[in-house]
């Protein structure tokens, strides 16, 4: 599967790169929302892994932009967050078209399972 | 002023009541004294009568001798008889020292045959009542007889004219009365033989009067009769006549009533105003009198009359005058001042005090000026206070805003910290997981696997700790969010049971889900319920024994649209006194170095916060050695803000 990772954490990106590419997926990543949005506009991904908390242009901004541009349904979106008390916000994001969410720290096995379930 | 009226009424009532009581009391006491006195005199006389009767019994021989004397001329025989009689009478007279004279009279001859006395005291009047009574067979008693021969007075000196009493008794023979025996008794003997009771009256006098009011007890007024004694000629009677019609009338009335009478004030023999009680003496025409000075009798009443009433009248008058004075000179200015104070009290701080009041040089004037000064001070202080309050309020508002900002900052800081703490955990845990995937990372040696497992395990522990800290803070701030979904409780409990089964293996614990009800649906936060139940179960795991531990979980619908969840174990139990502390943060049943059981110590505090946030309540029941019962009850429908 073609997967895009948008996360400002280099360590996370490195890990996901190793795990997902090592598991037979086609994973690429960017470290900010603006670039991520550009890639989504220009390419077709099966899944976008999106971190909510990023400086300047956050994951939430990305989602609102996708919704605005009506390209939410182009791909499955799984959001990451290290914030645990934002259930109301997550619920709203799900209503906007987000498919799933994973709480940080990311459980690699759970992520692989979830990715496979969208295959 | 009006309040004085009841006082006057009460006072008058008390006064008249007091007089009544005093008068009744006085009369009772006086009556008692005069009755006792009269009784004593009467019984004294009765006793003497008996004595004289005894003497008369043995006098028949004298009567016979008298016959002899009457029939024959004086002879030797008569002389002997006279001599013998004289001896006999002398014996009687020495036996009865109260006897002054004793003689026998022949009733038929109507002449005195014999008498025992050196001097014949007087001509015997055969017509006297006492003599006639004796002839009729009764004991006769005379009225007063002034003695014509000297007899002992109260000082033991022989004196003429002393009042005496004659008692005559018949001398009876076989054929009737043969003669009359007459005895003379001095009034002093009667007086000295009768003890006078005077109760506690200081000025009391007791004495005997005859039916005409003639004083028969000279010793009662020794000072008054002194001049009589000096003035009188030798044979003048020592009997004092009542010197006023008033006195005569009183004794006459007592005589005609033949019972005790009380007189509320008369002039006595000395001309003094007295109160008296007069009782007739039985068997005589005499009266026993007790009298006391009117001053003593009514001293209590006089106290009221002469002291209390005048002083009351003066007091009341003074009060009335003072009141009038007060209302003009004191009350009116005070009213003005009060009005000014009242104005200030209701808020009119600017209200001026009457300038006339302030000019006044008396105490009121001082008060008015002082008050005015105080009012000015208050006004100034108030202004200052208002200023200070405004300043402080502004400062407080500022501080409040600052506090709110700090609060917000603290919240943001915590979120940031947890976020920043969690972020590095992703690569740590993630890399551990990844390293154990041989397809990606290649085979690891056993040592490497062991090291990685160790890192992973500790990282997980760190993760849980961070989560707990965050939750605890949310509970503290009451900011925990809940995500309500429809939960099939039966399925949820089964899932939970299977999910936790792995944790039972190390201690080989028997883990049972006893939920029996099907189709039990609630609307709640599944993850949070799971968190609480997990917390309960992990607690239980820590405390059940290895090998035969048993943990039971169950969900049970309650009657009131709520569901009970519980976790029951057969662990070591919790001491009762520690149960209440369990919900405190960082509390461990065992503390310090004795800690055997791990955990952040936040689990139950968070659980309580969650259950309360879900609208339920949490609790623990435990018996030492028997195990614990952790439970919570939540409503089936809660939250989901409408």
């Amino acid at each position: 599967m073609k997967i895009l990772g948008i996360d400002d954490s280099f360590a996370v990106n490195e890990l996901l790169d190793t795990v997902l590419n090592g598991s037979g997926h086609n994973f690429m990543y960017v470290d900010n929302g603006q670039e991520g949005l550009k890639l989504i506009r220009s390419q077709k991904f099966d899944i976008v892994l999106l971190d909510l908390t990023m400086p300047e242009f956050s994951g939430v901004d990305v989602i609102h932009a996708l919704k605005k541009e009506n390209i939410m349904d182009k791909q499955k979106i799984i959001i990451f967050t290290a914030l645990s008390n934002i259930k109301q916000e997550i619920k709203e994001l799900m209503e906007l078209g987000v498919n799933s969410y994973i709480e940080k720290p990311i459980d690699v096995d759970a992520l692989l399972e979830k990715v496979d379930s969208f295959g | 002023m009006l309040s004085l009226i009841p006082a006057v009424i009460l006072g008058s009532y008390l006064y008249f009541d007091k007089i009544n009581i005093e008068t009744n009391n006085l009369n009772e006491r006086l009556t008692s004294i005069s009755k006792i006195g009269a009784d004593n005199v009467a019984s004294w006389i009765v006793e003497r009568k008996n004595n004289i009767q005894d003497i008369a019994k043995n006098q028949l021989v004298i009567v016979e001798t008298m016959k002899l004397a009457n029939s024959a001329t004086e002879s030797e025989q008569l002389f002997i008889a006279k001599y013998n009689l004289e001896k006999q009478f002398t014996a009687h007279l020495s036996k009865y020292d109260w006897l002054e004279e004793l003689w026998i009279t022949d009733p038929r001859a109507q002449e005195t045959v014999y008498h025992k006395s050196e001097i014949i005291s007087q001509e015997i009047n055969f017509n006297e009542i006492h003599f006639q009574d004796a002839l009729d067979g009764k004991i006769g008693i005379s009225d007063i007889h002034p003695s014509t021969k000297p007899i002992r007075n109260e000082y033991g000196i022989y004196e003429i004219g002393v009042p005496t009493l004659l008692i005559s008794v018949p001398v009876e023979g076989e054929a009737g009365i043969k003669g009359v025996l007459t005895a003379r008794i001095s009034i002093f003997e009667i007086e000295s033989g009768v003890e006078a009771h005077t109760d506690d009256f200081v000025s009391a006098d007791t004495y005997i009067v005859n039916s005409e009011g003639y004083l028969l007890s000279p010793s009662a007024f020794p000072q008054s009769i002194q001049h009589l004694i000096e003035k009188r000629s030798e044979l003048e009677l020592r009997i004092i006549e009542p010197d006023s019609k008033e006195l005569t009338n009183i004794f006459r009335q007592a005589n005609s009533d033949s019972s005790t009478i009380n007189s509320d004030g008369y002039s006595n023999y000395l001309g003094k105003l007295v109160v008296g009680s007069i009782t007739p003496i039985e068997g005589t025409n005499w009266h026993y009198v007790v009298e006391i000075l009117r001053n003593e009798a009514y001293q209590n009443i006089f106290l009221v009359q002469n002291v209390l009433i005048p002083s009351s009248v003066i007091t009341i008058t003074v009060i009335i005058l003072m009141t009038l004075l007060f209302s003009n000179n004191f009350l009116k200015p005070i009213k003005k001042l009060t009005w000014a104070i009242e104005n200030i009290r209701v808020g009119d701080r600017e209200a001026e005090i009457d300038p006339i009041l302030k000019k006044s040089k008396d105490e009121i004037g001082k008060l008015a000026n002082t008050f005015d000064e105080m009012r000015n001070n208050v006004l100034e202080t108030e202004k200052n206070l208002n200023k200070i309050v405004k300043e402080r309020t502004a400062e407080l508002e500022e501080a409040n805003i600052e506090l709110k900002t700090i609060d917000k900052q603290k919240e943001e800081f915590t979120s940031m910290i947890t976020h920043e703490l969690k972020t590095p955990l992703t690569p740590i845990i993630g890399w551990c997981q990844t390293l154990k995937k041989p397809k990606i990372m290649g085979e690891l040696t056993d040592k490497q696997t062991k090291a990685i497992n160790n890192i992973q395990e500790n990282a997980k522990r760190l993760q849980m700790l961070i989560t707990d800290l965050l939750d605890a803070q949310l509970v503290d701030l009451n900011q925990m969010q809940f995500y309500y979904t429809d939960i099939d409780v039966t399925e949820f409990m089964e899932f939970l049971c299977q999910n936790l089964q792995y944790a039972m293996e190390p201690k080989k614990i028997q883990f049972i889900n006893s939920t029996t009800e099907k189709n039990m649906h609630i609307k709640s936060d599944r993850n949070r319920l799971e968190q609480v139940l997990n917390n309960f179960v992990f607690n239980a795991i820590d405390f059940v024994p290895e090998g035969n531990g048993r943990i039971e979980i169950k969900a049970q619908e309650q009657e009131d649209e709520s569901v009970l969840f519980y976790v029951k174990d057969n662990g070591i139990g919790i001491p009762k006194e520690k149960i209440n502390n369990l919900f405190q943060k960082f509390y461990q049943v065992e503390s310090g170095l004795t800690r055997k059981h791990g955990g952040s110590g936040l689990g139950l505090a968070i659980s309580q916060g969650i259950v309360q946030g879900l609208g339920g309540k949490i609790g623990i029941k435990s018996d030492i050695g028997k195990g614990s019962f952790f439970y919570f009850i939540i409503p089936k429908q809660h939250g989901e803000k409408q």
Side-chain angles (χ1 to χ4, degrees):
Chain A
M1 274 188 279
K2 195 177 178 187
I3 304 171
L4 172 66
I6 309 171
D7 197 320
D8 61 333
S9 163
F10 176 72
V12 172
N13 287 335
E14 280 289 286
L15 171 69
L16 293 183
D17 187 50
T18 308
V19 171
L20 290 170
N21 283 323
S23 303
H25 298 289
N26 177 13
F27 178 76
M28 58 185 292
Y29 63 84
V30 291
D31 65 358
N32 66 76
Q34 297 280 20
E35 269 186 59
L37 188 59
K38 278 182 198 163
L39 279 174
I40 293 168
R41 282 190 194 124
S42 59
Q43 298 183 32
K44 160 77 176 132
F45 295 97
D46 293 310
I47 299 169
V48 172
L49 302 174
L50 177 63
D51 184 24
L52 283 187
T53 323
M54 287 181 291
E56 290 172 26
F57 203 79
S58 75
V60 179
D61 296 329
V62 173
I63 289 162
H64 283 138
L66 293 177
K67 185 73 190 174
K68 203 177 171 188
E69 294 170 31
N70 223 357
I71 46 174
M72 260 323 252
D73 298 338
K74 243 176 100 181
Q75 63 285 308
K76 302 285 182 189
I77 296 171
I78 299 174
I79 53 176
F80 295 150
T81 180
L83 303 172
S84 48
N85 196 38
I86 52 159
K87 293 194 172 161
Q88 195 56 38
E89 290 86 337
I90 287 170
K91 195 182 168 193
E92 282 163 20
L93 293 174
M94 301 281 262
E95 277 162 9
L96 287 175
V98 170
N99 298 88
S100 187
Y101 85 98
I102 291 174
E103 236 180 87
K104 280 185 172 181
I106 298 160
D107 182 325
V108 172
D109 295 328
L111 172 69
L112 286 173
E113 205 176 295
K114 198 153 267 179
V115 168
D116 288 341
S117 74
F118 286 131
Chain B
M1 288 273 262
L2 283 176
S3 63
L4 292 174
I5 293 171
V8 169
I9 291 170
L10 183 67
S12 314
Y13 171 76
L14 288 175
Y15 168 63
F16 288 114
D17 198 43
K18 175 88 178 157
I19 286 184
N20 276 337
I21 291 168
E22 288 288 335
T23 310
N24 289 338
N25 189 25
L26 180 71
N27 285 340
E28 268 172 39
R29 287 171 69 189
L30 291 177
T31 303
S32 164
I33 294 169
S34 73
K35 276 187 169 166
I36 290 170
D39 282 353
N40 285 345
V41 175
S43 53
W44 192 91
I45 290 170
V46 167
E47 207 181 307
R48 301 298 168 264
K49 279 180 179 173
N50 291 338
N51 294 145
I52 293 159
Q53 243 179 333
D54 283 346
I55 297 170
K57 274 178 191 165
N58 304 313
Q59 301 310 322
L60 207 55
V61 60
I62 298 171
V63 180
E64 293 306 320
T65 312
M66 284 193 299
K67 282 180 189 165
L68 189 71
N70 287 339
S71 59
T73 54
E74 197 158 308
S75 65
E76 192 185 347
Q77 212 176 356
L78 179 60
F79 179 80
I80 294 165
K82 274 186 174 180
Y83 174 75
N84 286 336
L85 285 171
E86 194 173 337
K87 266 170 75 180
Q88 254 186 35
F89 271 40
T90 307
H92 287 307
L93 285 169
S94 59
K95 184 179 174 187
Y96 302 111
D97 62 356
W98 42 268
L99 269 178
E100 295 294 342
E101 277 185 297
L102 198 61
W103 66 88
I104 288 179
T105 314
D106 180 352
R108 287 153 304 185
Q110 295 214 330
E111 63 179 284
T112 305
V113 173
Y114 188 76
H115 61 87
K116 155 53 198 150
S117 184
E118 285 162 14
I119 305 159
I120 296 169
S121 59
Q122 64 178 92
E123 287 291 316
I124 304 297
N125 183 354
F126 296 102
N127 294 321
E128 278 192 274
I129 293 166
H130 62 95
F131 190 77
Q132 292 302 320
D133 279 347
L135 285 181
D136 288 345
K138 295 183 280 188
I139 298 171
I141 186 158
S142 72
D143 197 4
I144 208 68
H145 268 268
S147 107
T148 51
K149 71 156 205 165
I151 59 170
R152 280 170 297 170
N153 67 8
E154 66 266 44
Y155 310 108
I157 298 163
Y158 282 83
E159 191 185 351
I160 292 170
V162 169
T164 60
L165 178 70
L166 300 179
I167 297 174
S168 295
V169 296
V171 179
E172 288 173 88
E174 281 172 13
I177 294 160
K178 303 294 185 188
V180 173
L181 176 71
T182 303
R184 183 191 294 276
I185 306 169
S186 151
I187 194 78
F188 294 115
E189 292 297 338
I190 298 174
E191 278 198 321
S192 65
V194 177
E195 208 182 327
H197 297 273
T198 55
D199 212 337
D200 289 327
F201 292 114
V202 178
S203 64
D205 275 314
T206 58
Y207 56 91
I208 300 167
V209 294
N210 75 355
S211 55
E212 288 297 310
Y214 285 70
L215 182 65
L216 304 185
S217 307
S219 62
F221 305 105
Q223 71 274 40
S224 75
I225 59 167
Q226 198 56 44
H227 68 284
L228 288 176
I229 294 170
E230 283 160 6
K231 273 164 64 180
R232 70 177 156 73
S233 61
E234 206 165 287
L235 279 174
E236 208 170 351
L237 298 186
R238 256 195 69 175
I239 294 175
I240 303 166
E241 293 176 39
D243 61 353
S244 70
K245 220 169 184 177
E246 187 191 10
L247 209 49
T248 314
N249 285 339
I250 285 167
F251 296 124
R252 278 189 180 151
Q253 194 198 333
N255 196 36
S256 65
D257 281 6
S258 69
S259 70
T260 307
I261 67 155
N262 289 301
S263 174
D264 184 30
Y266 57 90
S267 290
N268 72 355
Y269 293 97
L270 298 179
K272 288 190 174 163
L273 198 59
V274 293
V275 175
S277 180
I278 301 139
T279 305
I281 300 169
E282 208 186 327
T284 69
N285 287 325
W286 301 350
H287 301 294
Y288 192 91
V289 182
V290 57
E291 59 189 31
I292 57 170
L293 292 178
R294 207 165 185 277
N295 281 340
E296 185 186 0
Y298 291 122
Q299 59 183 345
N300 290 331
I301 293 166
F302 289 157
L303 181 72
V304 174
Q305 269 180 338
N306 299 336
V307 180
L308 292 186
I309 291 181
S311 62
S312 301
V313 169
I314 290 167
T315 308
I316 288 168
T317 313
V318 167
I319 288 172
I320 290 167
L321 287 175
M322 292 282 272
T323 310
L324 289 173
L325 213 65
F326 260 49
S327 63
N328 278 329
N329 293 337
F330 204 67
L331 285 182
K332 274 183 191 166
I334 281 189
K335 267 185 188 168
K336 281 187 184 173
L337 199 55
T338 310
W339 181 77
I341 292 170
E342 179 63 16
N343 268 341
I344 285 162
R345 190 188 70 78
V346 300
D348 187 4
R349 304 281 197 275
E350 311 290 335
E352 286 287 339
I353 291 175
D354 191 342
I356 299 164
L357 266 187
K358 289 203 276 183
K359 276 178 198 161
S360 167
K361 278 176 184 163
D362 57 11
E363 297 300 318
I364 296 287
K366 282 184 195 166
L367 188 61
N369 279 309
T370 310
F371 178 76
D372 204 38
E373 213 171 290
M374 194 184 81
R375 180 182 64 101
N376 289 332
N377 287 344
V378 167
L379 277 175
E380 202 172 317
T381 312
E382 201 175 53
K383 276 175 195 162
N384 287 340
L385 266 181
N386 280 340
K387 201 178 149 199
I388 292 168
V389 166
K390 269 180 196 164
E391 280 170 15
R392 294 287 182 274
T393 309
E395 283 171 20
L396 272 178
E397 272 166 9
E398 219 168 283
N400 201 21
I401 290 165
E402 212 168 295
L403 271 178
K404 276 182 183 164
T405 314
I406 289 170
D407 232 26
K408 183 111 179 140
Q409 281 170 348
K410 184 184 155 200
E411 202 184 317
E412 282 167 0
F413 176 76
T414 316
S415 299
M416 191 264 284
I417 284 291
T418 44
H419 178 257
E420 293 307 313
L421 283 171
K422 275 181 179 180
T423 303
L425 279 175
T426 298
I428 296 170
I429 296 169
W431 278 119
C432 289
Q433 287 176 310
T434 310
L435 279 167
K436 288 193 285 180
K437 294 182 192 305
K439 277 182 188 170
I440 303 170
M441 306 300 292
E443 289 291 341
L444 295 176
T445 65
D446 283 352
K447 277 186 179 176
Q448 286 168 335
T449 307
K450 202 178 166 188
I452 287 163
N453 279 344
N454 204 331
I455 296 168
Q456 193 179 355
E457 203 179 298
N458 281 290
K460 281 269 182 195
R461 192 180 268 189
L462 192 60
Q463 182 195 343
M464 276 165 69
L465 201 60
I466 292 164
T467 311
D468 275 1
L469 280 169
L470 185 72
D471 281 349
Q473 201 213 3
L474 291 174
V475 167
D476 256 9
L477 296 171
N478 203 16
Q479 279 180 352
M480 189 172 270
Q481 288 191 11
F482 296 100
Y483 189 64
Y484 289 90
T485 54
D486 190 73
I487 305 167
D488 179 342
V489 178
T490 318
E491 178 271 323
F492 168 70
M493 292 302 279
E494 196 49 45
F495 161 82
L496 201 74
C497 189
Q498 282 177 11
N499 232 14
L500 289 168
Q501 206 65 52
Y502 78 96
M504 305 299 161
E505 274 154 29
K507 284 173 95 173
K508 303 215 175 343
I509 299 163
Q510 188 190 354
F511 186 52
I512 310 150
N513 170 24
S514 313
T515 309
T516 50
E517 280 161 278
K518 305 279 175 201
N519 257 340
M520 202 192 325
H521 288 264
I522 62 168
K523 205 146 196 183
S524 199
D525 186 321
R526 186 179 173 117
N527 288 340
R528 292 299 189 186
L529 287 187
E530 196 180 335
Q531 192 180 346
V532 176
L533 285 168
N534 279 347
N535 183 261
F536 283 2
V537 171
F538 280 109
N539 267 334
I541 290 170
D542 277 348
F543 293 101
V544 293
E546 200 161 345
N548 57 352
R550 187 177 186 278
I551 298 172
E552 179 191 348
I553 61 169
K554 186 172 182 177
Q556 194 178 340
E557 199 168 345
Q558 303 295 293
E559 281 178 6
D560 58 345
E561 287 294 295
S562 64
V563 181
L564 164 75
F565 293 84
Y566 69 79
V567 175
K568 195 174 156 189
D569 67 57
N570 64 342
I572 54 178
I574 304 155
K576 272 202 175 73
E577 66 272 16
K578 294 193 172 172
I579 286 182
N580 285 338
N581 294 331
L582 286 177
F583 293 108
Q584 288 174 10
K585 275 186 285 182
F586 304 111
Y587 186 83
Q588 302 266 344
V589 176
E590 295 159 328
S591 58
L593 293 171
T594 62
R595 266 178 71 171
K596 271 188 278 181
H597 307 284
S600 66
L602 291 169
L604 282 173
I606 294 167
S607 296
Q608 187 180 37
I610 291 171
V611 170
Q612 284 171 355
L614 292 173
K617 57 180 181 182
I618 194 165
I620 302 169
K621 287 173 183 167
S622 186
D623 279 321
I624 289 288
K626 287 184 184 170
S628 304
F629 180 86
F630 286 69
Y631 69 93
F632 65 88
I633 300 168
I634 52 164
K636 288 172 84 175
Q637 303 281 337
H638 184 72
E640 200 77 51
K641 282 146 200 158
Q642 303 295 311

mmCIF file of all heavy atoms in Angstrom, chain B residues 487-503:
data_model
loop_
_atom_site.group_PDB
_atom_site.id
_atom_site.type_symbol
_atom_site.label_atom_id
_atom_site.label_comp_id
_atom_site.label_asym_id
_atom_site.label_seq_id
_atom_site.Cartn_x
_atom_site.Cartn_y
_atom_site.Cartn_z
ATOM 1 N N ILE B 487 -22.813 0.459 24.805
ATOM 2 C CA ILE B 487 -21.975 -0.686 25.180
ATOM 3 C C ILE B 487 -22.867 -1.878 25.494
ATOM 4 O O ILE B 487 -23.810 -1.770 26.286
ATOM 5 C CB ILE B 487 -21.123 -0.361 26.431
ATOM 6 C CG1 ILE B 487 -20.281 0.912 26.201
ATOM 7 C CG2 ILE B 487 -20.214 -1.536 26.788
ATOM 8 C CD1 ILE B 487 -19.666 1.471 27.471
ATOM 9 N N ASP B 488 -22.552 -2.999 24.858
ATOM 10 C CA ASP B 488 -23.203 -4.264 25.219
ATOM 11 C C ASP B 488 -22.406 -4.818 26.397
ATOM 12 O O ASP B 488 -21.295 -5.336 26.214
ATOM 13 C CB ASP B 488 -23.166 -5.219 24.021
ATOM 14 C CG ASP B 488 -23.801 -6.560 24.352
ATOM 15 O OD1 ASP B 488 -23.943 -6.871 25.565
ATOM 16 O OD2 ASP B 488 -24.154 -7.281 23.406
ATOM 17 N N VAL B 489 -22.961 -4.658 27.570
ATOM 18 C CA VAL B 489 -22.201 -4.956 28.785
ATOM 19 C C VAL B 489 -21.757 -6.417 28.827
ATOM 20 O O VAL B 489 -20.632 -6.728 29.207
ATOM 21 C CB VAL B 489 -23.015 -4.590 30.048
ATOM 22 C CG1 VAL B 489 -22.248 -4.957 31.304
ATOM 23 C CG2 VAL B 489 -23.334 -3.108 30.052
ATOM 24 N N THR B 490 -22.652 -7.340 28.382
ATOM 25 C CA THR B 490 -22.330 -8.766 28.423
ATOM 26 C C THR B 490 -21.091 -9.043 27.574
ATOM 27 O O THR B 490 -20.142 -9.694 28.015
ATOM 28 C CB THR B 490 -23.522 -9.591 27.900
ATOM 29 O OG1 THR B 490 -24.720 -9.015 28.433
ATOM 30 C CG2 THR B 490 -23.422 -11.031 28.312
ATOM 31 N N GLU B 491 -21.132 -8.460 26.358
ATOM 32 C CA GLU B 491 -19.999 -8.642 25.443
ATOM 33 C C GLU B 491 -18.739 -7.987 26.023
ATOM 34 O O GLU B 491 -17.643 -8.536 25.994
ATOM 35 C CB GLU B 491 -20.376 -8.027 24.083
ATOM 36 C CG GLU B 491 -19.282 -8.081 23.027
ATOM 37 C CD GLU B 491 -18.363 -6.863 23.054
ATOM 38 O OE1 GLU B 491 -18.878 -5.728 23.302
ATOM 39 O OE2 GLU B 491 -17.149 -7.026 22.876
ATOM 40 N N PHE B 492 -18.940 -6.780 26.586
ATOM 41 C CA PHE B 492 -17.824 -6.004 27.146
ATOM 42 C C PHE B 492 -17.120 -6.775 28.261
ATOM 43 O O PHE B 492 -15.891 -6.859 28.314
ATOM 44 C CB PHE B 492 -18.375 -4.654 27.654
ATOM 45 C CG PHE B 492 -17.408 -3.869 28.504
ATOM 46 C CD1 PHE B 492 -16.272 -3.276 27.946
ATOM 47 C CD2 PHE B 492 -17.631 -3.699 29.863
ATOM 48 C CE1 PHE B 492 -15.399 -2.530 28.733
ATOM 49 C CE2 PHE B 492 -16.759 -2.964 30.643
ATOM 50 C CZ PHE B 492 -15.641 -2.376 30.070
ATOM 51 N N MET B 493 -17.904 -7.406 29.114
ATOM 52 C CA MET B 493 -17.323 -8.130 30.238
ATOM 53 C C MET B 493 -16.569 -9.361 29.743
ATOM 54 O O MET B 493 -15.492 -9.697 30.266
ATOM 55 C CB MET B 493 -18.422 -8.543 31.241
ATOM 56 C CG MET B 493 -19.062 -7.371 31.986
ATOM 57 S SD MET B 493 -17.880 -6.386 32.922
ATOM 58 C CE MET B 493 -17.703 -7.386 34.376
ATOM 59 N N GLU B 494 -17.138 -10.001 28.723
ATOM 60 C CA GLU B 494 -16.487 -11.200 28.156
ATOM 61 C C GLU B 494 -15.137 -10.818 27.535
ATOM 62 O O GLU B 494 -14.108 -11.455 27.769
ATOM 63 C CB GLU B 494 -17.419 -11.822 27.095
ATOM 64 C CG GLU B 494 -17.064 -13.252 26.719
ATOM 65 C CD GLU B 494 -16.848 -14.157 27.930
ATOM 66 O OE1 GLU B 494 -17.692 -14.096 28.883
ATOM 67 O OE2 GLU B 494 -15.844 -14.877 27.966
ATOM 68 N N PHE B 495 -15.173 -9.677 26.787
ATOM 69 C CA PHE B 495 -13.966 -9.153 26.150
ATOM 70 C C PHE B 495 -12.890 -8.856 27.213
ATOM 71 O O PHE B 495 -11.727 -9.215 27.073
ATOM 72 C CB PHE B 495 -14.344 -7.879 25.369
ATOM 73 C CG PHE B 495 -13.190 -6.988 25.033
ATOM 74 C CD1 PHE B 495 -12.381 -7.241 23.920
ATOM 75 C CD2 PHE B 495 -12.903 -5.877 25.814
ATOM 76 C CE1 PHE B 495 -11.315 -6.416 23.616
ATOM 77 C CE2 PHE B 495 -11.834 -5.051 25.511
ATOM 78 C CZ PHE B 495 -11.030 -5.324 24.409
ATOM 79 N N LEU B 496 -13.352 -8.174 28.266
ATOM 80 C CA LEU B 496 -12.438 -7.773 29.337
ATOM 81 C C LEU B 496 -11.787 -9.003 29.972
ATOM 82 O O LEU B 496 -10.584 -9.045 30.227
ATOM 83 C CB LEU B 496 -13.246 -6.999 30.399
ATOM 84 C CG LEU B 496 -12.465 -6.097 31.327
ATOM 85 C CD1 LEU B 496 -12.022 -4.838 30.601
ATOM 86 C CD2 LEU B 496 -13.345 -5.718 32.518
ATOM 87 N N CYS B 497 -12.615 -10.034 30.186
ATOM 88 C CA CYS B 497 -12.159 -11.255 30.845
ATOM 89 C C CYS B 497 -11.060 -11.920 30.005
ATOM 90 O O CYS B 497 -10.014 -12.298 30.521
ATOM 91 C CB CYS B 497 -13.349 -12.198 31.039
ATOM 92 S SG CYS B 497 -12.956 -13.608 32.066
ATOM 93 N N GLN B 498 -11.342 -11.967 28.688
ATOM 94 C CA GLN B 498 -10.360 -12.615 27.811
ATOM 95 C C GLN B 498 -9.085 -11.786 27.720
ATOM 96 O O GLN B 498 -7.982 -12.310 27.726
ATOM 97 C CB GLN B 498 -10.974 -12.812 26.426
ATOM 98 C CG GLN B 498 -11.918 -14.008 26.416
ATOM 99 C CD GLN B 498 -12.605 -14.186 25.085
ATOM 100 O OE1 GLN B 498 -12.232 -13.550 24.094
ATOM 101 N NE2 GLN B 498 -13.621 -15.039 25.081
ATOM 102 N N ASN B 499 -9.276 -10.460 27.636
ATOM 103 C CA ASN B 499 -8.152 -9.533 27.505
ATOM 104 C C ASN B 499 -7.177 -9.622 28.674
ATOM 105 O O ASN B 499 -5.992 -9.394 28.521
ATOM 106 C CB ASN B 499 -8.708 -8.113 27.425
ATOM 107 C CG ASN B 499 -8.153 -7.394 26.220
ATOM 108 O OD1 ASN B 499 -7.570 -8.023 25.329
ATOM 109 N ND2 ASN B 499 -8.328 -6.095 26.187
ATOM 110 N N LEU B 500 -7.738 -9.903 29.861
ATOM 111 C CA LEU B 500 -6.905 -9.880 31.064
ATOM 112 C C LEU B 500 -6.384 -11.264 31.446
ATOM 113 O O LEU B 500 -5.608 -11.393 32.386
ATOM 114 C CB LEU B 500 -7.705 -9.293 32.236
ATOM 115 C CG LEU B 500 -7.970 -7.794 32.143
ATOM 116 C CD1 LEU B 500 -9.000 -7.371 33.181
ATOM 117 C CD2 LEU B 500 -6.672 -7.008 32.337
ATOM 118 N N GLN B 501 -6.860 -12.252 30.702
ATOM 119 C CA GLN B 501 -6.512 -13.627 31.065
ATOM 120 C C GLN B 501 -4.988 -13.821 31.164
ATOM 121 O O GLN B 501 -4.499 -14.507 32.056
ATOM 122 C CB GLN B 501 -7.105 -14.599 30.030
ATOM 123 C CG GLN B 501 -7.363 -16.006 30.584
ATOM 124 C CD GLN B 501 -8.430 -16.021 31.672
ATOM 125 O OE1 GLN B 501 -9.505 -15.494 31.460
ATOM 126 N NE2 GLN B 501 -8.137 -16.603 32.827
ATOM 127 N N TYR B 502 -4.255 -13.151 30.248
ATOM 128 C CA TYR B 502 -2.787 -13.316 30.216
ATOM 129 C C TYR B 502 -2.143 -12.927 31.552
ATOM 130 O O TYR B 502 -1.163 -13.498 31.990
ATOM 131 C CB TYR B 502 -2.183 -12.464 29.094
ATOM 132 C CG TYR B 502 -2.074 -10.995 29.435
ATOM 133 C CD1 TYR B 502 -0.864 -10.472 29.943
ATOM 134 C CD2 TYR B 502 -3.157 -10.127 29.294
ATOM 135 C CE1 TYR B 502 -0.762 -9.133 30.279
ATOM 136 C CE2 TYR B 502 -3.056 -8.796 29.636
ATOM 137 C CZ TYR B 502 -1.858 -8.311 30.121
ATOM 138 O OH TYR B 502 -1.747 -6.991 30.469
ATOM 139 N N ALA B 503 -2.785 -11.890 32.233
ATOM 140 C CA ALA B 503 -2.189 -11.356 33.459
ATOM 141 C C ALA B 503 -2.328 -12.326 34.625
ATOM 142 O O ALA B 503 -1.696 -12.163 35.662
ATOM 143 C CB ALA B 503 -2.831 -10.026 33.811
#
